[in-house]
Amino acid sequence: MAVAVIMEFKGATLAQYDQVIEKMNLTKGGPGPAGALGHWVAATDDGLLVTDLWQSREQYEAFARDQIGPYSAEAGIPEQPKITYHEVHNYFTPGADT
């Protein structure tokens, strides 16, 4: 079952986020990692808000353990994110170009 993952990184910056995705060999606007269905990030008053959509919670947790956690620490992100999970009833795929 698809899962939405909301991560709140208190004290993190967009520059640190950019370092993390570079370490993951991901590019802005490009394809995500295997199992990921969607992703967006925004700066907040106290850090970053990252929202992901994954095919399963297990896929997200493996990716978080192997990549998000270690690369976030390397980039100097000060603390682990607050994470909220939501089972997804529906989602849309990218729309057709008009």
Side-chain angles (χ1 to χ4, degrees), residues 1 10-11 25 31-32 46 48 74 93-94:
M1 171 175 285
K10 189 172 182 179
N25 294 313
D46 62 352
L48 298 177
E74 287 180 24
T93 60

Side-chain angles (χ1 to χ4, degrees), residues 1-55:
M1 171 175 285
V3 63
V5 184
I6 300 169
M7 295 162 274
E8 298 174 68
F9 288 89
K10 189 172 182 179
T13 67
L14 289 172
Q16 289 169 316
Y17 167 85
D18 289 344
Q19 289 176 38
V20 171
I21 65 166
E22 183 177 321
K23 289 175 183 289
M24 293 176 182
N25 294 313
L26 300 171
T27 56
K28 292 180 182 180
L37 300 170
H39 170 88
W40 63 267
V41 61
T44 64
D45 290 340
D46 62 352
L48 298 177
L49 177 66
V50 180
T51 300
D52 279 2
L53 181 62
W54 283 80
Q55 291 175 352

